[in-house]
Structure formats: structure tokens, C-alpha cells
Amino acid sequence: MYHLVFSADENYIKYTSVLITSIISNTDKSKKFKGFDENSNIKDEKYFFHILSNFVSDKTREKLLNLQNTLNEIFPCEIIIHIKNDEDFENFPTSGAAHSLKLPYYRLRLSSIFDESIKKCLYLDSDMLCMCDIRELFSINLKDKIVGVVGDPGSKKSKIKFKENDKKKIFYFDENYFNSGLLLINLEEYKKHSIEQKCEELASKCYYIKAADQDLLNATIETRLRHKLDFAYNFNIITLFYTICKDEKKNRLNYTRTEFNEALKNPKILHYGEKPWKFLKSYFDYKGKNINDYWWDMANKTPIFNEELLKEKQDIKAYLLYASLGYELLKSVKRANFFKIHQLIKSTERDQFYIEQTSKINDDIFGLCCMLGESILHARKHKKDFFGVYLKALKMIYNFKKYHFRSRI
């Protein structure tokens, strides 16, 4: 039996259904678990998909039941809903990733939904897509490690600020900082080391925390008690924009360029930063395919929810503004046209005209343009000045040219 856990509110469940379908679709029915782990005693090959949520309507529950019944014809599975309440997480700060609701913290209390007979579970963020037989992960022997994790691709300058004995303290993260979008959890060790309690205790002292559960887990699980997984198992698609590896710069992605390139050529689980239900197009992979197309190909095959998803797809257009503004910013930076950058931030009058020019953007820079466009929209929202945007764009363009995967293979 394989236990997988997701967090999803009512609106996110349709996206979770795509991930669940991708797991079933990539399970090799001709292969038994013995083929992954010859020492395994697993006899019942069945997936249990646990969804942690704050509310699921009767209509959505019915859809999930129908999804379960349809997928069960392909491979044995069961979908189980666990309702949690934000009130149960009153000691956890409302900030950063948990600025509007406490759902990101729900995964910290996994041990409360499993009895003692369940030794291992896999947590996955709903904005992921499985590209492999997920049983590969369940075959990994964690031994005395608490969790199997994948390094986070971002900068390791984050920190937690908290008070202890009326003194302000700071917990700094290092190069071993991991992404909590995928957690292969040894439930016995998780309970043995009281991770739930440690997270809540630290959370109650925090006055600044950015990445919610991710920061808490990084602060409470010692590096020696983590099993480092291949980057392919949590292949964050932002790395297709550009990636700085540990052999190129300290405190960046904690994998070598060689290790990253291996994952790039054969990603096992995709982790979408630019959500496919918001961006129809973003980055292009090693094979030259729009990375978001993989998700929509699976959405089209997802039972019960596919009509709703494909209808939603027809209205996705906001990403065109990101790309078009970014394209204008890219041209302006190259020409050091500060007046144009100022106009991009201060005026929206020509936005529709820019959107109509989106087709001129080459695929190899489309992702770059999306990220540059985000800096314009951020500046508009927070009333930033043009020079800060210019400097940020310069750095972004420099890193893209130097560390984009096509320039590093």
C-alpha cells in the first residue's frame, strides 16, 4: 500500500486531480513492487490518496468519488478527505506563504491521520505532475532518516525571526535548505523526533517567517536526519529559466551542474512555479517542449474534471501581459531607455498594444520575458521606481545568459 498526501482547498482540488491522474497513468501495471525493491514485503498494490483541506463541498466529494472509481479501473486506488480547521493552527503565524489561510501548515500534522501500521508516506504539492512510476520513491530505504527531500533552487538568504526569553533571535538557513513540495516521510522517525511539536513550538515564537511550513521543517529537522533525493524528483521548473549550481556559486541549488543536467534530461516529477492554469506558456525544456503543455496534456486525460479544466483554459490570458511587458522591458534595458521603463511602470495605456505583439517573442526567451514582466507588475502594485526595476532586470538578464541550461550543457 502506498500512502500519498496532498493539501488542497475547494478551488485547488481540480488541479490535484491532474496530479493524481498522472500518478496512476505512469504506474507500470506490468511491474510489481518487487521490481523496485526485492526486499519489500508489500503485497497489496494500492494507492491511498489523502487530501488535507479546510472544506470540500458535496459536489466536489462526488466528483472525487467518480474520479476514484474511474482510476481504480486502471490501478487500485482510494481517495480519502481529511478536513482540518485553521483554528487548530492558531499558534502558527499568518504571513508569507500562509498570509491568507493556514492550509500550508496542515501537512505538518501528518502523523495524526495515520495509525502505527503506516510506516512511510509521500507528500506532494498540488502544483506538481508525475512523470515516473512513483513506486520508485517508496522503494527508497530511509533507514533512520526522518525525511527524503530535494534541495530548493532559490537563494539561501532566507531566515526565521523569533523571540525566546524576551530576546530576538534569528535562525539562518544554509545550502542544505530543502523544498517542502515533496516530502518522503519516515513516520516512525517523524514521531520519534517530535517534529510536529517542534514546529508548533517554534511557530509560536516567530514574528517573521516567509515560507511557512517549509521554513519550520528546515529549522527543526537536522541535516544529518535528511535523505537527499535526486533533483529529478522535485524538478522545479523555475530552473529552466536559469540555474546556479553549487559548483558555480555557494548557497544556490545544492546539486552540481552534472547532477542538475541529469535531472534536466529526465525529470521524474515536475513542480510548477508558473502554474499551468495561469500560464499557458512559460519555459521550454531540454527537448524544446513548452513545459506547461505536459500538464495540459494530462489535464485533458483527467477523468471527471477535464471538461471543467479545459473550459477554464479558454480564458487564460493574463500571462500574455507578463510576457509582453517583459519583452518591452528587455528591449528597453538593452537600449538603456530609462524613459520607456518609467512609462512601462507608470502607464497601462499601451498594455493591449503590447499584448498584441506577444507572437513576436521567440520561445527561447519567453520565460525570461514572463519574469521580467512580473517585475513591472510588481513595481506597479508597490509603486517602485524605474531604476530599481532596471537594476533587477540587468541582473536577471545577466544570470539568464550565463546560467540558462542551454548555455551550460
Side-chain angles (χ1 to χ4, degrees):
M1 296 186 290
Y2 317 104
H3 292 269
L4 298 98
V5 186
F6 318 96
S7 295
D9 63 14
E10 175 79 3
N11 294 323
Y12 240 68
I13 282 177
K14 56 180 175 286
Y15 309 131
T16 310
S17 72
V18 179
L19 173 55
I20 290 173
T21 302
S22 72
I23 292 168
I24 295 291
S25 298
N26 284 285
T27 300
D28 186 349
K29 293 183 290 184
S30 67
K31 195 173 184 179
K32 297 294 184 182
F33 190 68
K34 287 282 186 183
F36 297 96
D37 182 1
E38 60 183 17
N39 297 315
S40 169
N41 58 3
I42 291 180
K43 296 178 181 179
D44 299 321
E45 298 253 9
K46 182 177 180 179
Y47 290 119
F48 289 88
F49 298 119
H50 302 265
I51 298 177
L52 307 178
S53 187
N54 52 1
F55 170 77
V56 180
S57 67
D58 290 341
K59 183 179 179 180
T60 301
R61 287 174 183 270
E62 183 179 355
K63 285 184 175 182
L64 286 171
L65 180 59
N66 291 333
L67 176 69
Q68 169 190 296
N69 293 338
T70 304
L71 294 178
N72 199 46
E73 295 176 5
I74 303 172
F75 196 90
C77 66
E78 183 176 340
I79 298 174
I80 304 165
I81 300 169
H82 304 268
I83 299 299
K84 302 287 184 181
N85 296 305
D86 277 8
E87 289 77 14
D88 296 333
F89 296 84
E90 60 182 359
N91 291 331
F92 293 79
T94 303
S95 62
H99 67 279
S100 58
L101 72 170
K102 302 291 182 73
L103 191 62
Y105 294 122
Y106 288 10
R107 75 192 74 177
L108 297 176
R109 292 184 176 167
L110 288 176
S111 58
S112 64
I113 69 172
F114 296 118
D115 61 38
E116 298 297 323
S117 66
I118 309 303
K119 308 299 183 185
K120 185 187 294 183
C121 73
L122 177 65
Y123 174 86
L124 295 171
D125 272 353
S126 290
D127 58 351
M128 288 179 145
L129 188 74
C130 183
M131 310 278 280
C132 68
D133 193 322
I134 205 78
R135 293 176 296 176
E136 291 178 21
L137 277 167
F138 283 92
S139 71
I140 294 173
N141 186 352
L142 293 174
K143 298 179 181 178
D144 61 347
K145 306 295 186 185
I146 296 174
V147 64
V149 293
V150 173
D152 190 83
S155 169
K156 308 305 182 290
K157 293 181 180 178
S158 297
K159 52 189 174 287
I160 289 179
K161 297 180 181 179
F162 63 100
K163 280 188 176 181
E164 195 168 67
N165 299 323
D166 292 326
K167 291 184 179 181
K168 291 184 177 181
K169 294 187 176 182
I170 299 177
F171 183 94
Y172 292 96
F173 299 113
D174 60 21
E175 68 274 8
N176 298 299
Y177 186 82
F178 61 85
N179 184 282
S180 66
L182 179 144
L183 301 167
L184 181 63
I185 299 176
N186 181 340
L187 289 167
E188 287 183 308
E189 294 298 319
Y190 193 84
K191 295 172 184 175
K192 176 182 173 182
H193 290 272
S194 306
I195 300 304
E196 279 188 24
Q197 292 78 5
K198 288 178 180 178
C199 284
E200 183 164 7
E201 182 181 348
L202 177 57
S204 66
K205 301 174 183 177
C206 288
Y207 63 91
Y208 173 82
I209 185 170
K210 184 177 181 180
D213 65 287
Q214 182 167 289
D215 283 354
L216 292 173
L217 289 169
N218 272 276
T220 55
I221 301 177
E222 298 175 54
T223 301
R224 66 182 181 86
L225 296 174
R226 307 171 191 172
H227 177 91
K228 186 180 178 183
L229 300 169
D230 290 345
F231 188 66
Y233 285 116
N234 187 352
F235 189 90
N236 197 312
I237 68 163
I238 191 65
T239 58
L240 295 174
F241 173 32
Y242 70 80
T243 315
I244 305 177
C245 297
K246 69 176 184 180
D247 48 352
E248 295 160 343
K249 198 172 184 179
K250 190 179 179 182
N251 285 335
R252 300 299 294 200
L253 182 65
N254 196 21
Y255 296 85
T256 65
R257 176 60 59 175
T258 299
E259 290 170 331
F260 170 74
N261 285 345
E262 285 301 309
L264 170 69
K265 294 171 185 177
N266 185 30
K268 309 261 188 178
I269 299 174
L270 298 175
H271 193 171
Y272 287 91
E274 282 58 60
K275 316 301 186 202
W277 49 92
K278 293 183 179 179
F279 287 74
L280 290 184
K281 186 177 179 181
S282 59
Y283 314 116
F284 286 73
D285 70 0
Y286 181 74
K287 299 173 184 176
K289 181 171 178 175
N290 173 17
I291 201 73
N292 295 40
D293 282 347
Y294 291 106
W295 193 90
W296 281 107
D297 289 345
M298 189 57 64
N300 189 46
K301 299 174 185 175
T302 299
I304 315 305
F305 289 89
N306 55 353
E307 284 188 22
E308 178 183 354
L309 289 164
L310 294 175
K311 183 178 179 181
E312 183 178 301
K313 183 181 182 182
Q314 298 172 8
D315 298 323
I316 301 174
K317 294 183 175 64
Y319 74 102
L320 296 174
L321 181 60
Y322 282 78
S324 58
L325 287 175
Y327 186 53
E328 295 302 317
L329 177 58
L330 178 61
K331 292 188 293 183
S332 300
V333 169
K334 287 181 178 179
R335 299 166 185 163
N337 189 340
F338 299 130
F339 177 77
K340 177 67 177 290
I341 297 172
H342 177 80
Q343 288 299 107
L344 287 171
I345 296 170
K346 297 299 180 181
S347 175
T348 62
E349 289 181 5
R350 290 177 62 80
D351 283 1
Q352 186 55 45
F353 170 77
Y354 296 144
I355 289 173
E356 292 169 1
Q357 308 303 307
T358 308
S359 59
K360 295 181 180 179
I361 304 174
N362 292 333
D363 289 345
D364 60 342
I365 62 167
F366 198 91
L368 169 63
C369 291
C370 286
M371 296 304 290
L372 289 171
E374 193 279 333
S375 67
I376 292 290
L377 293 170
H378 179 81
R380 286 179 177 179
K381 181 178 180 180
H382 298 281
K383 303 187 186 310
K384 301 288 185 179
D385 66 87
F386 80 93
F387 195 65
V389 171
Y390 172 71
L391 292 177
K392 184 177 180 180
L394 271 181
K395 182 178 180 181
M396 209 178 290
I397 294 166
Y398 170 82
N399 284 334
F400 176 77
K401 288 180 177 178
K402 185 173 182 179
Y403 297 109
H404 181 57
F405 73 87
R406 294 201 183 280
S407 66
R408 304 298 295 171
I409 292 178

